């Protein structure tokens, strides 16, 4: 597969030339890196994440990416979802929308709706590895995916109920 003739692709870190993904050519994620689902538990409460799309990052209903806090060098998608549920405050765990996981680098992005992450959260739980920029305005549950060669999008089951409230808030604003 040759990526050198493709246009720019949007990745979670910003715009990058598609040819930069050529280093992934011929490489495949480790067997089982992107399981169909994971089920971490926090204080007796089960969180279920389903694989939404491979070679993609998660987007909201209008295709906007979510704000995220990033854990580095996480071994697999199951460890990533566990870290996003148990490696943060109770409030952040219950504000999760999904996870973007990179099998190649072990990058684990815990996804939140616009405005959820604070500077304190970023420093305390993610060692400053967050993107709280205004360009990432995803709101509500994961509903779309955006091409990103090296990642997979996992949707947290049950976040759809929050979409009714999000739709109501959008109409008001």
């Amino acid at each position: 597969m040759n990526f050198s003739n493709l246009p720019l692709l949007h990745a979670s870190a910003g715009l990058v030339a598609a040819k930069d993904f050529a280093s992934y050519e011929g490489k495949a994620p480790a067997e089982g890196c992107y399981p169909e689902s994971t089920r971490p538990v926090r204080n007796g409460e089960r969180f279920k994440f389903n694989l939404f799309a491979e070679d993609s990052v998660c987007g909201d209903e209008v295709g906007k990416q979510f704000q995220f806090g990033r854990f580095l060098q996480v071994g697999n998608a199951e460890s990533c979802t566990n870290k996003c549920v148990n490696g943060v405050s109770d409030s952040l765990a219950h504000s999760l929308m999904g996870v973007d996981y990179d099998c190649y680098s072990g990058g684990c992005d815990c996804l939140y709706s616009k405005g959820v992450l604070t500077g304190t959260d970023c420093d305390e739980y993610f060692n400053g590895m967050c993107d709280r920029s205004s360009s990432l305005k995803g709101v509500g549950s994961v509903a779309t995916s955006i091409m990103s060669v090296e990642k997979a999008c996992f949707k947290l089951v049950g976040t759809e109920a929050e979409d009714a409230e999000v739709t109501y808030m959008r109409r008001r604003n």
Side-chain angles (χ1 to χ4, degrees), residues 6-18 21 55-59 63-68 70 100 109 131 133-138 145-151:
L6 294 176
L8 294 177
L9 300 174
H10 189 275
S12 63
L15 291 176
V16 294
F21 292 121
D55 291 328
S56 298
V57 292
C58 299
K64 293 183 180 176
Q65 285 184 260
F66 294 92
Q67 293 176 323
F68 62 86
R70 178 171 292 156
D100 289 331
D109 293 345
D131 191 328
S133 71
S134 59
S135 66
L136 300 180
K137 300 177 181 177
S145 61
I146 302 152
M147 184 181 169
S148 181
V149 174
E150 77 281 13
K151 294 189 176 185

Side-chain angles (χ1 to χ4, degrees), residues 37-40 46-50 155-158:
S37 67
T38 69
R39 295 173 179 86
R46 185 169 304 280
F47 291 69
K48 183 180 180 189
F49 294 83
N50 286 336
K155 177 180 181 172
L156 179 60
V157 174

Side-chain angles (χ1 to χ4, degrees), residues 71-91:
F71 292 109
L72 299 175
Q73 299 178 346
V74 178
N76 56 45
E78 188 172 349
S79 296
C80 176
T81 58
N82 187 55
K83 199 125 174 101
C84 289
V85 168
N86 291 298
V88 298
S89 68
D90 211 40
S91 174

Side-chain angles (χ1 to χ4, degrees), residues 13-166:
L15 291 176
V16 294
K19 66 182 179 186
D20 293 338
F21 292 121
S23 62
Y24 293 112
E25 188 173 343
K27 293 183 181 177
E31 184 69 30
C33 186
Y34 299 139
E36 289 299 314
S37 67
T38 69
R39 295 173 179 86
V41 176
R42 179 186 178 107
N43 299 328
E45 181 181 1
R46 185 169 304 280
F47 291 69
K48 183 180 180 189
F49 294 83
N50 286 336
L51 179 62
F52 189 79
E54 290 185 39
D55 291 328
S56 298
V57 292
C58 299
D60 71 0
E61 68 179 348
V62 295
K64 293 183 180 176
Q65 285 184 260
F66 294 92
Q67 293 176 323
F68 62 86
R70 178 171 292 156
F71 292 109
L72 299 175
Q73 299 178 346
V74 178
N76 56 45
E78 188 172 349
S79 296
C80 176
T81 58
N82 187 55
K83 199 125 174 101
C84 289
V85 168
N86 291 298
V88 298
S89 68
D90 211 40
S91 174
L92 285 179
H94 287 94
S95 297
L96 269 171
M97 292 291 117
V99 167
D100 289 331
Y101 181 67
D102 184 337
C103 270
Y104 298 100
S105 72
C108 171
D109 293 345
C110 308
L111 307 176
Y112 302 96
S113 283
K114 177 183 174 184
V116 169
L117 283 176
T118 66
T120 302
D121 294 332
C122 188
D123 293 338
E124 186 173 344
Y125 301 107
F126 302 105
N127 296 317
M129 299 287 295
C130 293
D131 191 328
R132 297 178 290 120
S133 71
S134 59
S135 66
L136 300 180
K137 300 177 181 177
V139 178
S141 69
V142 172
T144 61
S145 61
I146 302 152
M147 184 181 169
S148 181
V149 174
E150 77 281 13
K151 294 189 176 185
C153 165
F154 291 85
K155 177 180 181 172
L156 179 60
V157 174
T159 55
E160 301 84 358
E162 296 174 21
D163 283 344
E165 181 180 334
V166 169

